Amino acid sequence: MVGMHTSPSDDLATLDTAASAPSPAEPGGPRRAASPWRGRVMAAGLLLAALNLRPAVTTLGPLLEEVRDGLGMSGTVAGVLTSVPPACFALFGFTAPRLARRWGPGAVVCAGLAAIAAGLLLRPFAGGTVVFLAASALALAGIAVSNVLMPVIVKRWFPDRVGAMTGLYSMGLSLGTAVAAAVTVPMTDALGGSWRAGLGVWALLAAVALVPWLFLARDRTSGAESGPEANGPGANGPVASASDAGGSETGGGTGTRTGTDTDTGAPAAVAETAAAPADGPAIRIARSPLAWAMAVFFGFQATAAYISMGWMPQIFRDAGVSASTSGLLLAVMMAMGVPLAFVLPRIAARLRHQGVLVVILGVLGLIGYGGLWLAPAEGAWLWALLLGVANCAFPLALTMIGMRTRTHAGVVRLSAFAQSVGYLLSIPGPLLVGVLYQHSGGWGQPLALMAGFMVPQIVAGVLAGRDRTLEDEG
Protein backbone atom coordinates (compact mmCIF):
# COMPACT_ATOMS: atom_id res chain seq x y z
CA MET A 1 0.00 0.00 0.00
CA VAL A 2 1.08 3.57 -0.52
CA GLY A 3 0.53 6.96 0.98
CA MET A 4 -0.80 6.99 4.52
CA HIS A 5 -1.76 3.32 4.55
CA THR A 6 0.39 0.78 6.34
CA SER A 7 1.06 -2.78 5.30
CA PRO A 8 -0.54 -5.76 7.06
CA SER A 9 2.87 -6.82 8.34
CA ASP A 10 3.38 -3.41 9.94
CA ASP A 11 -0.06 -3.61 11.55
CA LEU A 12 0.68 -7.06 12.94
CA ALA A 13 4.04 -5.93 14.29
CA THR A 14 2.47 -2.88 15.92
CA LEU A 15 -0.38 -4.94 17.35
CA ASP A 16 1.77 -7.54 19.03
CA THR A 17 4.58 -5.19 20.03
CA ALA A 18 2.07 -2.97 21.81
CA ALA A 19 0.67 -5.92 23.68
CA SER A 20 4.15 -7.13 24.57
CA ALA A 21 5.47 -3.82 25.88
CA PRO A 22 6.55 -4.08 29.52
CA SER A 23 4.35 -2.20 31.94
CA PRO A 24 6.22 0.42 33.99
CA ALA A 25 3.94 -0.35 36.91
CA GLU A 26 4.78 -4.03 36.88
CA PRO A 27 8.49 -4.47 36.14
CA GLY A 28 8.75 -7.87 37.75
CA GLY A 29 8.47 -9.95 34.61
CA PRO A 30 5.90 -12.40 33.35
CA ARG A 31 2.97 -13.55 35.44
CA ARG A 32 0.62 -16.45 34.91
CA ALA A 33 -3.12 -15.97 34.59
CA ALA A 34 -4.80 -15.24 37.91
CA SER A 35 -7.03 -18.34 37.86
CA PRO A 36 -6.48 -21.82 36.38
CA TRP A 37 -10.05 -22.04 35.06
CA ARG A 38 -9.48 -18.96 32.91
CA GLY A 39 -6.51 -20.67 31.27
CA ARG A 40 -8.64 -23.73 30.64
CA VAL A 41 -11.33 -21.60 29.01
CA MET A 42 -8.69 -19.99 26.81
CA ALA A 43 -7.31 -23.38 25.76
CA ALA A 44 -10.81 -24.72 25.06
CA GLY A 45 -11.64 -21.63 23.04
CA LEU A 46 -8.44 -22.02 21.05
CA LEU A 47 -9.16 -25.66 20.22
CA LEU A 48 -12.82 -25.10 19.36
CA ALA A 49 -11.97 -22.16 17.11
CA ALA A 50 -9.32 -24.20 15.27
CA LEU A 51 -11.83 -27.00 14.66
CA ASN A 52 -14.04 -24.51 12.78
CA LEU A 53 -11.47 -22.97 10.44
CA ARG A 54 -11.80 -25.52 7.60
CA PRO A 55 -15.20 -27.31 7.58
CA ALA A 56 -16.74 -24.50 5.52
CA VAL A 57 -14.29 -25.51 2.77
CA THR A 58 -13.87 -29.27 3.12
CA THR A 59 -17.57 -30.08 3.59
CA LEU A 60 -18.42 -28.67 0.18
CA GLY A 61 -16.22 -30.91 -1.97
CA PRO A 62 -17.91 -34.23 -1.11
CA LEU A 63 -21.35 -32.68 -1.78
CA LEU A 64 -20.39 -30.47 -4.73
CA GLU A 65 -22.32 -32.58 -7.23
CA GLU A 66 -25.53 -32.33 -5.19
CA VAL A 67 -25.03 -28.60 -4.63
CA ARG A 68 -24.52 -28.03 -8.35
CA ASP A 69 -27.65 -29.98 -9.22
CA GLY A 70 -29.72 -28.29 -6.53
CA LEU A 71 -28.72 -24.77 -7.51
CA GLY A 72 -28.37 -25.33 -11.25
CA MET A 73 -24.68 -24.47 -11.06
CA SER A 74 -22.42 -24.96 -14.09
CA GLY A 75 -18.89 -26.29 -13.86
CA THR A 76 -17.55 -22.79 -14.47
CA VAL A 77 -19.59 -21.33 -11.62
CA ALA A 78 -18.52 -24.24 -9.42
CA GLY A 79 -14.96 -23.23 -10.28
CA VAL A 80 -15.76 -19.73 -9.05
CA LEU A 81 -17.11 -21.24 -5.84
CA THR A 82 -13.91 -23.22 -5.24
CA SER A 83 -11.88 -20.04 -5.85
CA VAL A 84 -13.76 -18.10 -3.17
CA PRO A 85 -11.69 -19.41 -0.19
CA PRO A 86 -8.29 -18.09 -1.31
CA ALA A 87 -9.91 -14.87 -2.53
CA CYS A 88 -11.49 -14.30 0.88
CA PHE A 89 -8.29 -15.23 2.69
CA ALA A 90 -6.34 -12.71 0.62
CA LEU A 91 -8.97 -9.95 0.90
CA PHE A 92 -10.25 -10.20 4.47
CA GLY A 93 -6.92 -11.30 5.92
CA PHE A 94 -5.67 -7.77 5.23
CA THR A 95 -8.33 -6.29 7.51
CA ALA A 96 -7.60 -8.47 10.55
CA PRO A 97 -4.64 -6.50 11.99
CA ARG A 98 -6.47 -3.17 11.83
CA LEU A 99 -9.61 -4.65 13.36
CA ALA A 100 -7.54 -6.22 16.13
CA ARG A 101 -5.85 -2.92 16.92
CA ARG A 102 -9.25 -1.30 17.25
CA TRP A 103 -11.23 -3.99 19.08
CA GLY A 104 -8.69 -6.49 20.36
CA PRO A 105 -7.80 -9.90 18.84
CA GLY A 106 -10.21 -11.86 21.08
CA ALA A 107 -13.19 -9.75 20.05
CA VAL A 108 -12.29 -10.04 16.36
CA VAL A 109 -11.95 -13.83 16.56
CA CYS A 110 -15.29 -13.95 18.38
CA ALA A 111 -16.88 -11.92 15.59
CA GLY A 112 -15.17 -14.20 13.05
CA LEU A 113 -16.70 -17.29 14.65
CA ALA A 114 -20.11 -15.59 14.62
CA ALA A 115 -19.64 -14.91 10.90
CA ILE A 116 -18.71 -18.56 10.32
CA ALA A 117 -21.81 -19.75 12.17
CA ALA A 118 -24.06 -17.30 10.32
CA GLY A 119 -22.61 -18.12 6.91
CA LEU A 120 -22.90 -21.88 7.44
CA LEU A 121 -26.45 -21.47 8.74
CA LEU A 122 -27.52 -19.34 5.78
CA ARG A 123 -26.00 -21.51 3.04
CA PRO A 124 -28.66 -24.26 3.19
CA PHE A 125 -31.43 -21.70 2.69
CA ALA A 126 -29.90 -20.31 -0.50
CA GLY A 127 -32.34 -20.50 -3.39
CA GLY A 128 -29.73 -19.60 -5.98
CA THR A 129 -26.03 -19.43 -6.68
CA VAL A 130 -25.56 -15.77 -5.73
CA VAL A 131 -26.98 -16.19 -2.23
CA PHE A 132 -24.99 -19.39 -1.75
CA LEU A 133 -21.78 -17.61 -2.77
CA ALA A 134 -22.55 -14.67 -0.49
CA ALA A 135 -23.22 -16.93 2.51
CA SER A 136 -20.02 -18.85 1.78
CA ALA A 137 -18.08 -15.58 1.57
CA LEU A 138 -19.46 -14.52 4.96
CA ALA A 139 -18.23 -17.73 6.59
CA LEU A 140 -14.89 -17.50 4.81
CA ALA A 141 -14.44 -13.88 5.91
CA GLY A 142 -14.73 -15.07 9.51
CA ILE A 143 -12.21 -17.81 8.80
CA ALA A 144 -9.81 -15.32 7.18
CA VAL A 145 -9.58 -12.95 10.14
CA SER A 146 -9.31 -15.84 12.58
CA ASN A 147 -6.56 -17.42 10.46
CA VAL A 148 -4.41 -14.36 10.91
CA LEU A 149 -5.12 -13.65 14.56
CA MET A 150 -5.21 -17.07 16.18
CA PRO A 151 -1.41 -17.49 16.25
CA VAL A 152 -1.12 -13.96 17.65
CA ILE A 153 -3.53 -14.95 20.40
CA VAL A 154 -1.42 -18.03 21.14
CA LYS A 155 1.62 -15.79 21.59
CA ARG A 156 -0.22 -13.30 23.79
CA TRP A 157 -2.31 -15.61 25.95
CA PHE A 158 0.28 -18.37 26.39
CA PRO A 159 3.68 -16.63 26.19
CA ASP A 160 5.43 -19.43 28.09
CA ARG A 161 3.63 -22.26 26.24
CA VAL A 162 3.72 -21.12 22.64
CA GLY A 163 4.93 -24.49 21.35
CA ALA A 164 2.34 -26.59 23.17
CA MET A 165 -0.56 -24.26 22.37
CA THR A 166 0.46 -23.90 18.72
CA GLY A 167 0.54 -27.69 18.59
CA LEU A 168 -2.97 -27.81 20.05
CA TYR A 169 -4.16 -25.22 17.53
CA SER A 170 -2.53 -27.02 14.59
CA MET A 171 -3.92 -30.38 15.64
CA GLY A 172 -7.39 -28.89 15.98
CA LEU A 173 -7.12 -27.34 12.54
CA SER A 174 -6.05 -30.63 10.97
CA LEU A 175 -8.68 -32.60 12.88
CA GLY A 176 -11.44 -30.25 11.78
CA THR A 177 -10.25 -30.46 8.17
CA ALA A 178 -10.10 -34.25 8.00
CA VAL A 179 -13.18 -35.06 10.06
CA ALA A 180 -15.36 -32.65 8.11
CA ALA A 181 -14.34 -34.28 4.84
CA ALA A 182 -14.85 -37.80 6.21
CA VAL A 183 -18.23 -37.49 7.94
CA THR A 184 -20.12 -34.99 5.77
CA VAL A 185 -21.62 -37.57 3.41
CA PRO A 186 -22.57 -40.12 6.13
CA MET A 187 -24.03 -37.32 8.20
CA THR A 188 -25.99 -36.06 5.20
CA ASP A 189 -27.39 -39.56 4.65
CA ALA A 190 -28.35 -39.80 8.32
CA LEU A 191 -30.17 -36.47 8.08
CA GLY A 192 -32.33 -37.61 5.17
CA GLY A 193 -29.96 -37.20 2.24
CA SER A 194 -30.40 -33.45 1.76
CA TRP A 195 -27.20 -31.57 0.99
CA ARG A 196 -28.73 -28.55 2.70
CA ALA A 197 -28.92 -30.38 6.02
CA GLY A 198 -25.46 -31.88 5.49
CA LEU A 199 -23.89 -28.45 5.08
CA GLY A 200 -26.04 -26.56 7.58
CA VAL A 201 -25.37 -28.86 10.52
CA TRP A 202 -21.80 -27.56 10.74
CA ALA A 203 -23.15 -24.22 11.95
CA LEU A 204 -23.79 -25.99 15.28
CA LEU A 205 -20.07 -26.63 15.78
CA ALA A 206 -19.33 -22.96 15.14
CA ALA A 207 -22.06 -21.94 17.59
CA VAL A 208 -20.52 -24.15 20.28
CA ALA A 209 -17.09 -22.62 19.63
CA LEU A 210 -18.58 -19.16 20.00
CA VAL A 211 -19.58 -19.71 23.65
CA PRO A 212 -16.14 -19.41 25.34
CA TRP A 213 -15.20 -16.55 23.04
CA LEU A 214 -18.19 -14.51 24.18
CA PHE A 215 -16.58 -14.57 27.60
CA LEU A 216 -13.02 -14.05 26.38
CA ALA A 217 -13.94 -11.17 24.05
CA ARG A 218 -15.18 -9.05 26.95
CA ASP A 219 -11.58 -8.27 27.80
CA ARG A 220 -9.81 -6.45 24.98
CA THR A 221 -6.42 -7.78 25.96
CA SER A 222 -7.44 -11.09 27.60
CA GLY A 223 -4.23 -12.89 28.47
CA ALA A 224 -2.09 -9.82 27.88
CA GLU A 225 -3.80 -7.41 30.23
CA SER A 226 -0.90 -7.02 32.61
CA GLY A 227 1.79 -6.09 30.15
CA PRO A 228 4.57 -8.32 31.47
CA GLU A 229 2.25 -11.29 31.46
CA ALA A 230 1.82 -10.86 27.74
CA ASN A 231 5.44 -10.06 27.33
CA GLY A 232 6.68 -13.41 28.53
CA PRO A 233 10.24 -14.56 28.32
CA GLY A 234 12.10 -12.85 25.56
CA ALA A 235 9.13 -11.23 23.88
CA ASN A 236 11.31 -8.44 22.62
CA GLY A 237 14.02 -10.85 21.66
CA PRO A 238 13.66 -14.02 19.63
CA VAL A 239 10.17 -15.33 19.08
CA ALA A 240 9.20 -18.02 21.54
CA SER A 241 9.96 -21.55 20.52
CA ALA A 242 7.30 -23.44 18.61
CA SER A 243 9.23 -26.64 18.23
CA ASP A 244 6.51 -28.67 19.84
CA ALA A 245 4.22 -27.59 17.05
CA GLY A 246 6.49 -28.61 14.25
CA GLY A 247 8.04 -25.19 13.82
CA SER A 248 11.38 -24.65 12.18
CA GLU A 249 14.41 -23.41 14.00
CA THR A 250 16.90 -21.31 12.15
CA GLY A 251 20.47 -21.70 13.13
CA GLY A 252 22.15 -18.64 14.52
CA GLY A 253 20.80 -15.15 14.08
CA THR A 254 17.66 -14.50 16.07
CA GLY A 255 16.60 -18.09 16.29
CA THR A 256 13.30 -17.26 14.65
CA ARG A 257 10.74 -20.03 14.36
CA THR A 258 7.65 -20.23 12.28
CA GLY A 259 4.51 -22.01 13.29
CA THR A 260 3.13 -24.68 11.02
CA ASP A 261 -0.32 -25.37 9.81
CA THR A 262 -1.62 -28.23 7.79
CA ASP A 263 -4.24 -26.17 5.83
CA THR A 264 -3.41 -24.43 3.33
CA GLY A 265 -4.58 -21.11 4.70
CA ALA A 266 -3.60 -19.64 8.07
CA PRO A 267 -0.83 -17.18 7.99
CA ALA A 268 0.76 -18.58 11.11
CA ALA A 269 4.20 -17.32 10.25
CA VAL A 270 2.96 -13.74 9.85
CA ALA A 271 1.23 -13.71 13.17
CA GLU A 272 3.72 -15.59 15.28
CA THR A 273 6.77 -13.75 14.04
CA ALA A 274 4.99 -10.41 14.24
CA ALA A 275 5.55 -10.45 17.98
CA ALA A 276 8.88 -8.74 17.50
CA PRO A 277 9.37 -5.06 16.78
CA ALA A 278 10.37 -4.16 13.27
CA ASP A 279 14.11 -4.02 13.81
CA GLY A 280 16.81 -3.93 11.19
CA PRO A 281 17.15 -1.87 8.01
CA ALA A 282 14.28 -1.22 5.64
CA ILE A 283 13.74 -4.02 3.15
CA ARG A 284 12.41 -3.38 -0.36
CA ILE A 285 10.41 -6.53 -0.37
CA ALA A 286 8.72 -6.07 -3.76
CA ARG A 287 12.13 -5.86 -5.46
CA SER A 288 13.50 -9.02 -3.88
CA PRO A 289 13.94 -12.08 -6.15
CA LEU A 290 13.82 -14.26 -3.03
CA ALA A 291 10.51 -12.76 -1.93
CA TRP A 292 8.97 -13.33 -5.35
CA ALA A 293 10.26 -16.91 -5.45
CA MET A 294 8.70 -17.54 -2.04
CA ALA A 295 5.43 -15.92 -3.13
CA VAL A 296 5.21 -18.02 -6.29
CA PHE A 297 6.04 -21.20 -4.39
CA PHE A 298 3.46 -20.38 -1.73
CA GLY A 299 0.87 -19.47 -4.36
CA PHE A 300 1.15 -22.69 -6.36
CA GLN A 301 1.11 -24.93 -3.29
CA ALA A 302 -2.02 -23.08 -2.15
CA THR A 303 -3.49 -23.58 -5.63
CA ALA A 304 -2.96 -27.34 -5.34
CA ALA A 305 -4.51 -27.39 -1.88
CA TYR A 306 -7.69 -25.54 -2.83
CA ILE A 307 -8.12 -27.55 -6.02
CA SER A 308 -7.85 -30.70 -3.93
CA MET A 309 -10.35 -29.54 -1.34
CA GLY A 310 -12.81 -28.29 -3.94
CA TRP A 311 -12.53 -30.80 -6.77
CA MET A 312 -10.84 -34.02 -5.64
CA PRO A 313 -14.02 -35.72 -4.34
CA GLN A 314 -15.73 -34.95 -7.67
CA ILE A 315 -12.83 -36.51 -9.58
CA PHE A 316 -13.21 -39.72 -7.60
CA ARG A 317 -17.00 -39.71 -7.90
CA ASP A 318 -16.83 -39.30 -11.68
CA ALA A 319 -14.51 -42.34 -11.73
CA GLY A 320 -17.21 -44.45 -10.05
CA VAL A 321 -16.15 -44.09 -6.41
CA SER A 322 -19.06 -43.60 -4.00
CA ALA A 323 -19.72 -40.22 -2.43
CA SER A 324 -18.89 -41.41 1.09
CA THR A 325 -15.64 -43.05 -0.01
CA SER A 326 -14.70 -39.91 -1.97
CA GLY A 327 -15.09 -37.92 1.23
CA LEU A 328 -12.88 -40.40 3.07
CA LEU A 329 -10.24 -40.11 0.36
CA LEU A 330 -10.22 -36.34 0.79
CA ALA A 331 -9.95 -36.85 4.56
CA VAL A 332 -6.91 -39.09 4.02
CA MET A 333 -5.28 -36.38 1.92
CA MET A 334 -5.90 -33.76 4.59
CA ALA A 335 -4.84 -36.06 7.45
CA MET A 336 -1.41 -36.64 5.89
CA GLY A 337 -0.57 -33.11 6.94
CA VAL A 338 -0.81 -33.94 10.65
CA PRO A 339 2.37 -36.02 11.07
CA LEU A 340 4.28 -34.43 8.21
CA ALA A 341 3.73 -30.92 9.57
CA PHE A 342 5.86 -32.02 12.52
CA VAL A 343 8.48 -33.92 10.52
CA LEU A 344 9.12 -31.77 7.44
CA PRO A 345 10.13 -28.56 9.25
CA ARG A 346 12.68 -30.44 11.33
CA ILE A 347 14.22 -32.07 8.27
CA ALA A 348 14.23 -28.73 6.43
CA ALA A 349 15.98 -27.02 9.33
CA ARG A 350 18.89 -29.46 9.01
CA LEU A 351 19.41 -28.73 5.31
CA ARG A 352 21.24 -25.75 3.90
CA HIS A 353 19.17 -26.00 0.70
CA GLN A 354 15.55 -27.10 0.95
CA GLY A 355 15.24 -27.60 -2.79
CA VAL A 356 15.54 -31.38 -2.48
CA LEU A 357 12.38 -31.49 -0.33
CA VAL A 358 10.57 -29.26 -2.81
CA VAL A 359 11.49 -31.61 -5.66
CA ILE A 360 10.45 -34.73 -3.74
CA LEU A 361 7.03 -33.29 -2.89
CA GLY A 362 6.58 -32.06 -6.45
CA VAL A 363 7.46 -35.41 -7.99
CA LEU A 364 5.02 -37.18 -5.66
CA GLY A 365 2.37 -34.74 -6.79
CA LEU A 366 3.10 -35.43 -10.45
CA ILE A 367 2.87 -39.18 -9.82
CA GLY A 368 -0.44 -38.68 -8.02
CA TYR A 369 -1.96 -36.64 -10.85
CA GLY A 370 -0.67 -39.15 -13.39
CA GLY A 371 -2.26 -41.97 -11.43
CA LEU A 372 -5.59 -40.13 -11.32
CA TRP A 373 -5.49 -39.88 -15.11
CA LEU A 374 -4.53 -43.52 -15.70
CA ALA A 375 -6.49 -45.38 -12.99
CA PRO A 376 -8.49 -43.00 -10.78
CA ALA A 377 -10.67 -45.64 -9.13
CA GLU A 378 -8.31 -48.63 -9.02
CA GLY A 379 -5.50 -46.75 -7.27
CA ALA A 380 -7.62 -44.15 -5.47
CA TRP A 381 -6.15 -44.72 -2.00
CA LEU A 382 -2.57 -44.61 -3.27
CA TRP A 383 -3.15 -41.42 -5.24
CA ALA A 384 -4.82 -39.82 -2.21
CA LEU A 385 -1.80 -40.68 -0.05
CA LEU A 386 0.69 -39.32 -2.60
CA LEU A 387 -1.24 -36.10 -3.14
CA GLY A 388 -1.69 -35.72 0.60
CA VAL A 389 2.09 -35.82 1.02
CA ALA A 390 2.56 -33.43 -1.92
CA ASN A 391 0.17 -30.93 -0.31
CA CYS A 392 2.48 -30.76 2.71
CA ALA A 393 4.43 -28.11 0.84
CA PHE A 394 2.54 -25.66 3.09
CA PRO A 395 4.46 -26.27 6.35
CA LEU A 396 7.65 -26.47 4.28
CA ALA A 397 6.91 -23.04 2.82
CA LEU A 398 6.35 -21.55 6.28
CA THR A 399 9.61 -23.08 7.49
CA MET A 400 11.52 -21.69 4.53
CA ILE A 401 10.14 -18.21 5.23
CA GLY A 402 11.73 -18.33 8.68
CA MET A 403 15.01 -19.70 7.36
CA ARG A 404 15.39 -17.12 4.60
CA THR A 405 15.62 -14.15 7.00
CA ARG A 406 17.94 -13.04 9.79
CA THR A 407 15.88 -10.32 11.50
CA HIS A 408 12.39 -10.05 12.95
CA ALA A 409 11.52 -7.28 10.52
CA GLY A 410 12.65 -9.48 7.66
CA VAL A 411 10.58 -12.50 8.63
CA VAL A 412 7.45 -10.39 9.17
CA ARG A 413 7.76 -8.69 5.80
CA LEU A 414 8.71 -11.83 3.88
CA SER A 415 5.87 -13.80 5.43
CA ALA A 416 3.28 -11.10 4.80
CA PHE A 417 4.44 -10.61 1.20
CA ALA A 418 4.73 -14.31 0.33
CA GLN A 419 1.36 -15.24 1.79
CA SER A 420 -0.60 -12.21 0.58
CA VAL A 421 0.74 -12.41 -2.96
CA GLY A 422 0.61 -16.20 -2.87
CA TYR A 423 -3.08 -16.33 -1.99
CA LEU A 424 -3.81 -13.85 -4.77
CA LEU A 425 -1.92 -16.06 -7.23
CA SER A 426 -3.91 -19.11 -6.10
CA ILE A 427 -7.32 -17.64 -6.92
CA PRO A 428 -7.49 -18.51 -10.66
CA GLY A 429 -6.45 -22.17 -10.29
CA PRO A 430 -9.70 -23.74 -9.02
CA LEU A 431 -11.66 -21.55 -11.43
CA LEU A 432 -9.62 -22.73 -14.42
CA VAL A 433 -10.16 -26.35 -13.38
CA GLY A 434 -13.91 -25.75 -13.35
CA VAL A 435 -13.84 -24.09 -16.77
CA LEU A 436 -11.84 -26.94 -18.32
CA TYR A 437 -14.09 -29.54 -16.68
CA GLN A 438 -17.18 -27.78 -18.00
CA HIS A 439 -15.94 -27.43 -21.58
CA SER A 440 -14.05 -30.71 -21.97
CA GLY A 441 -16.59 -32.89 -20.19
CA GLY A 442 -13.89 -34.91 -18.45
CA TRP A 443 -10.86 -34.73 -16.21
CA GLY A 444 -8.03 -35.19 -18.72
CA GLN A 445 -7.41 -31.50 -19.35
CA PRO A 446 -7.97 -30.38 -15.73
CA LEU A 447 -5.53 -33.03 -14.48
CA ALA A 448 -2.98 -31.91 -17.05
CA LEU A 449 -3.39 -28.36 -15.73
CA MET A 450 -2.93 -29.54 -12.14
CA ALA A 451 0.23 -31.40 -13.11
CA GLY A 452 1.41 -28.36 -15.03
CA PHE A 453 1.05 -26.21 -11.90
CA MET A 454 3.57 -28.44 -10.16
CA VAL A 455 6.34 -27.33 -12.52
CA PRO A 456 6.49 -23.63 -11.51
CA GLN A 457 5.96 -24.73 -7.89
CA ILE A 458 9.07 -26.89 -8.07
CA VAL A 459 11.14 -24.24 -9.87
CA ALA A 460 10.13 -21.43 -7.51
CA GLY A 461 10.62 -23.68 -4.46
CA VAL A 462 14.14 -24.64 -5.53
CA LEU A 463 15.01 -20.97 -6.03
CA ALA A 464 13.49 -20.00 -2.69
CA GLY A 465 15.24 -22.88 -0.93
CA ARG A 466 18.76 -21.69 -1.72
CA ASP A 467 20.97 -20.82 1.25
CA ARG A 468 20.64 -17.05 1.35
CA THR A 469 18.58 -14.48 3.24
CA LEU A 470 16.32 -11.59 2.39
CA GLU A 471 18.65 -9.18 4.15
CA ASP A 472 21.50 -10.20 1.82
CA GLU A 473 19.50 -8.74 -1.07
CA GLY A 474 18.86 -5.45 0.72
Side-chain angles (χ1 to χ4, degrees):
M1 298 183 183
V2 294
M4 296 177 62
H5 297 284
T6 58
S7 69
S9 61
D10 293 334
D11 283 333
L12 279 167
T14 303
L15 167 65
D16 213 66
T17 302
S20 300
S23 170
E26 296 181 87
R31 293 190 297 117
R32 293 186 180 274
S35 57
W37 69 266
R38 182 180 179 83
R40 296 189 186 102
V41 172
M42 290 177 177
L46 188 73
L47 176 61
L48 287 170
L51 288 171
N52 281 276
L53 295 185
R54 290 301 174 266
V57 181
T58 55
T59 57
L60 183 58
L63 296 175
L64 185 58
E65 183 175 312
E66 287 78 8
V67 173
R68 289 179 57 197
D69 292 340
L71 298 178
M73 191 183 297
S74 68
T76 301
V77 176
V80 173
L81 179 60
T82 55
S83 293
V84 169
C88 286
F89 292 163
L91 176 63
F92 294 106
F94 276 105
T95 68
R98 287 183 173 85
L99 292 173
R101 290 177 64 191
R102 175 65 179 87
W103 302 104
V108 176
V109 171
C110 181
L113 288 169
I116 295 170
L120 293 179
L121 184 62
L122 290 173
R123 277 205 305 194
F125 297 100
T129 301
V130 174
V131 176
F132 189 88
L133 287 171
S136 297
L138 176 61
L140 291 165
I143 293 172
V145 295
S146 301
N147 270 344
V148 174
L149 295 177
M150 288 288 284
V152 170
I153 285 174
V154 170
K155 174 71 169 66
R156 298 178 72 180
W157 290 3
F158 305 97
D160 56 346
R161 289 182 287 163
V162 170
M165 290 299 109
T166 302
L168 179 68
Y169 161 70
S170 298
M171 290 293 289
L173 193 66
S174 300
L175 186 63
T177 303
V179 170
V183 307
T184 293
V185 172
M187 188 181 299
T188 300
D189 293 339
L191 293 172
S194 169
W195 65 264
R196 297 179 185 273
L199 292 181
V201 71
W202 292 96
L204 295 175
L205 181 62
V208 171
L210 188 59
V211 174
W213 288 90
L214 290 172
F215 165 76
L216 296 171
R218 290 188 303 173
D219 187 348
R220 268 194 57 140
T221 54
S222 293
E225 66 269 12
S226 65
E229 181 181 327
N231 190 27
N236 291 323
V239 178
S241 169
S243 59
D244 292 339
S248 167
E249 183 176 6
T250 57
T254 61
T256 302
R257 294 174 181 260
T258 59
T260 62
D261 181 343
T262 54
D263 158 327
T264 55
V270 178
E272 194 165 310
T273 56
D279 54 356
I283 301 170
R284 296 182 176 181
I285 193 75
R287 298 184 181 180
S288 164
L290 170 60
W292 279 104
M294 282 299 317
V296 172
F297 177 58
F298 192 94
F300 277 102
Q301 67 80 28
T303 299
Y306 286 109
I307 289 175
S308 296
M309 285 189 284
W311 286 110
M312 203 56 63
Q314 189 66 52
I315 294 175
F316 288 123
R317 292 184 67 173
D318 286 351
V321 179
S322 68
S324 59
T325 302
S326 297
L328 286 174
L329 288 165
L330 177 60
V332 167
M333 292 178 60
M334 299 297 104
M336 291 302 297
V338 177
L340 290 179
F342 286 83
V343 174
L344 272 177
R346 285 169 170 76
I347 297 175
R350 289 171 170 79
L351 301 175
R352 294 181 62 85
H353 193 316
Q354 291 73 44
V356 62
L357 295 178
V358 171
V359 172
I360 291 172
L361 295 181
V363 169
L364 291 177
L366 290 172
I367 295 173
Y369 290 130
L372 283 176
W373 180 65
L374 291 172
E378 295 81 357
W381 293 101
L382 176 59
W383 315 140
L385 286 171
L386 291 176
L387 291 172
V389 175
N391 281 344
C392 288
F394 180 78
L396 177 60
L398 293 185
T399 302
M400 288 165 59
I401 288 172
M403 297 182 70
R404 297 284 82 83
T405 57
R406 290 198 307 267
T407 66
H408 291 281
V411 75
V412 169
R413 286 170 172 78
L414 180 59
S415 185
F417 180 83
Q419 296 193 51
S420 299
V421 174
Y423 279 127
L424 289 173
L425 290 175
S426 71
I427 294 172
L431 173 60
L432 290 174
V433 168
V435 171
L436 288 176
Y437 176 54
Q438 173 75 19
H439 290 281
S440 69
W443 287 105
Q445 292 182 21
L447 286 170
L449 178 67
M450 297 178 207
F453 284 154
M454 297 303 300
V455 177
Q457 176 180 320
I458 293 171
V459 172
V462 169
L463 293 175
R466 292 183 296 175
D467 185 21
R468 69 194 193 285
T469 65
L470 181 69
E471 291 79 6
D472 293 338
E473 298 180 346

